[in-house]
Amino acid sequence: MGHAILGRSMRRVLVSLAVAAALGTASTASAGTTFVVDGHGWGHGVGMSQYGAYGYALHGWGYQRILAHYYAGTRLGILPNRSVRVLLAEGAPRLVVGSTKPLRRIARKKPLTLKAGGRILTPAAVRKLGGAVRFEAGASPLRVQGKAYRGAVTVYSGGGSLSAVNEVSLDHYLRGVVPREMPHDWPLAALESQAVVARSYTLATLHPQQHFDLYADTRDQVYDGIEGEKPESNRAVAATAGRIVTYAGRAAITYYHSTSGGRTANIEDVWPKAAAVPYLRSAADPYDYLSKHHTWPAVVFSRGELAARLKAPGLRDVLVERNASGRAGELKVVGARSTRLIPGQDARVLLGLRSTYFDVRVLSLDPAPKLVPRGKPLELTGFVRGLGRIRLEREVGPGDWEKVRLLRLAPDGRFRTVVRPDAATRYRLANHIAVGGAMAVGVR
């Protein structure tokens, strides 16, 4: 589920990393600098965590209690079923609409019964019929591009292409959404939670002034029509019929996501232009660890690779500025001549990360003389941030490395250690998470 929020005021509380004040020039990147980015969660982190709901359901919570936890201060209400309009296709040069049974076509308010089969529609053909053509199913569902949907379908012509909109009852729409947004074999309480939040989100985001209400993909909710329906999720939709999350008497915008990483986020901490919402607040998510994305593997960047991703030539360091939800509110990108801030969500996209709940750690081995006296002491220095126990390694054969020693880090992350190379040697920093760049030292 993905959403863009525009036109709202920004309120962010940023807390710098505790070590930032001590960095200064000590963290200046060198040729041997490696940046390690690791983190937690999948998705924006606002509202219900689906894996968290799964965990609560496994521990006996009902959907009512699950929703009260993720949307604090809300109530459950009941609204009658209604129809919604879902965009199935856009910008199409042609569309095939049909059914295995006779169907009705309505153009310029004139109904016409058509035989079973598919009809190829082009922009020119739809324009001749008034610019919009409505198809209504008979004894068999309608098919658009071979996929079956409940309800009616209207095809519009505009700008030399076609769009198709499925008008369907809300609960039939949810039957095609819930198993695409959450695994259908999860506990019933989790599926019921998903059904209620999907219903609430739908009703809170309708667009009556436009020719459709919802996208059929992650811009709103993934909708797969009849082919997506599963018996277990259908039961969850039926068991919660009409039930929605409300706040102040209105349908709540119930954002949700896959994996929080252990704690959900305040909406304003994730989308900079979003105003604070009383029920979209950071909340503990203790069972989120059930997700394989709870903690994701580290991504390792050389200085050049990270500079290219962040469009920051002359990159020296990158610091995470945390917000009130504990996530990356901004990245402080330190260059040779200037420093700039990148919003956390933008940084997530630039770095290809799964969430904004991440850290940027550093392994930096300072340059040493390229040629030193054989067997004489050589002091190696560098900087480490956020990586715990670090070892110095040397290459003893092509691709074969051995530990020289564990390093003792000063409070500011700096280290000094002495080696006595008796032959041309390459050195690097490493630990269980990442390996730094190698530095070659020759002897004379």
Side-chain angles (χ1 to χ4, degrees):
M1 180 182 186
H3 312 282
I5 296 183
L6 301 174
R8 297 176 180 171
S9 64
M10 169 178 163
R11 191 187 74 169
R12 311 176 84 191
V13 180
L14 299 178
V15 180
S16 297
L17 288 174
V19 297
L23 294 178
T25 59
S27 62
T28 300
S30 70
T33 297
T34 296
F35 293 92
V36 181
V37 182
D38 64 336
H40 311 275
W42 183 285
H44 49 65
V46 179
M48 186 183 79
S49 154
Q50 291 166 311
Y51 270 94
Y54 170 61
Y56 279 123
L58 289 177
H59 285 77
W61 285 30
Y63 77 87
Q64 300 92 334
R65 189 178 179 188
I66 293 172
L67 297 177
H69 172 73
Y70 288 109
Y71 308 102
T74 60
R75 296 171 177 259
L76 286 177
I78 298 180
L79 287 179
N81 199 9
R82 55 157 296 164
S83 64
V84 296
R85 299 164 302 156
V86 189
L87 183 66
L88 303 180
E90 58 182 331
R94 69 173 207 163
L95 289 171
V96 179
V97 179
S99 175
T100 59
K101 300 289 184 181
L103 65 155
R104 284 212 315 169
R105 188 196 74 187
I106 302 174
R108 295 194 178 96
K109 299 183 180 180
K110 297 179 181 179
L112 175 67
T113 299
L114 303 177
K115 293 181 179 180
R119 301 296 187 280
I120 298 175
L121 302 175
T122 63
V126 174
R127 282 197 301 271
K128 288 181 181 179
L129 293 170
V133 182
R134 179 181 174 87
F135 295 90
E136 295 179 348
S140 183
L142 295 174
R143 291 184 172 271
V144 179
Q145 304 294 77
K147 292 185 66 172
Y149 297 91
R150 302 184 187 279
V153 171
T154 300
V155 176
Y156 297 91
S157 175
S161 63
L162 300 174
S163 59
V165 175
N166 181 200
E167 184 177 340
V168 61
S169 76
L170 175 55
D171 278 12
H172 281 162
Y173 163 69
L174 295 177
R175 287 167 66 167
V177 166
V178 173
R180 290 303 310 273
E181 292 285 354
M182 177 178 281
H184 68 90
D185 56 355
W186 278 12
L188 180 61
L191 293 170
E192 289 173 333
S193 299
Q194 181 65 56
V196 175
V197 297
R199 184 183 290 112
S200 305
Y201 173 83
T202 299
L203 293 175
T205 58
L206 296 175
H207 300 287
Q209 305 305 317
Q210 300 179 18
H211 72 273
F212 70 95
D213 298 307
L214 299 148
Y215 291 98
D217 54 35
T218 54
R219 286 173 287 183
D220 282 306
Q221 301 177 116
V222 178
Y223 169 60
D224 209 20
I226 294 174
E227 293 178 13
E229 296 179 11
K230 301 293 182 181
E232 301 92 336
S233 48
N234 285 352
R235 283 196 293 272
V237 172
T240 62
R243 287 169 177 78
I244 63 168
V245 178
T246 68
Y247 185 82
R250 304 179 64 179
I253 305 179
T254 46
Y255 294 114
Y256 57 89
H257 59 282
S258 167
T259 307
S260 72
R263 187 167 193 88
T264 66
N266 300 325
I267 185 172
E268 72 274 17
D269 288 337
V270 172
W271 292 301
K273 295 183 179 180
V277 177
Y279 56 86
L280 295 176
R281 314 306 301 158
S282 178
D285 205 18
Y287 299 120
D288 181 84
Y289 71 85
L290 294 167
S291 171
K292 66 180 180 180
H293 304 297
H294 176 74
T295 298
W296 31 269
V299 184
V300 178
F301 297 96
S302 69
R303 180 171 66 98
E305 290 169 341
L306 191 60
R309 289 287 190 100
L310 298 178
K311 300 176 175 59
L315 177 70
R316 295 172 65 185
D317 198 9
V318 176
L319 300 169
V320 175
E321 299 283 353
R322 298 210 172 280
N323 54 36
S325 298
R327 294 169 176 255
E330 291 179 326
L331 280 195
K332 184 179 180 181
V333 180
V334 182
R337 296 184 178 180
S338 63
T339 297
R340 67 188 177 99
L341 298 176
I342 300 177
Q345 281 286 9
D346 292 351
R348 174 192 173 188
V349 173
L350 291 172
L351 299 180
L353 305 179
R354 301 175 192 182
S355 75
T356 57
Y357 195 172
F358 64 85
D359 280 305
V360 178
R361 310 178 193 275
V362 179
L363 284 171
S364 183
L365 188 58
D366 295 336
K370 293 184 179 180
L371 198 62
V372 299
R374 185 185 305 270
K376 296 296 183 180
L378 169 64
E379 184 178 68
L380 299 180
T381 61
F383 171 78
V384 177
R385 183 177 67 229
L387 283 168
R389 291 167 63 86
I390 300 295
R391 62 185 179 270
L392 177 70
E393 295 183 340
R394 66 181 177 186
E395 190 175 32
V396 294
D400 187 12
W401 295 80
E402 69 174 13
K403 182 177 77 172
V404 177
R405 66 180 62 93
L406 289 175
L407 298 175
R408 296 182 63 181
L409 304 179
D412 65 355
R414 295 290 302 179
F415 69 84
R416 295 178 179 274
T417 191
V418 174
V419 294
R420 297 174 182 269
D422 56 8
T425 307
R426 295 206 304 163
Y427 295 95
R428 71 182 186 184
L429 305 179
N431 77 345
H432 67 286
I433 295 178
V435 172
M439 180 180 66
V441 176
V443 298
R444 62 174 185 269

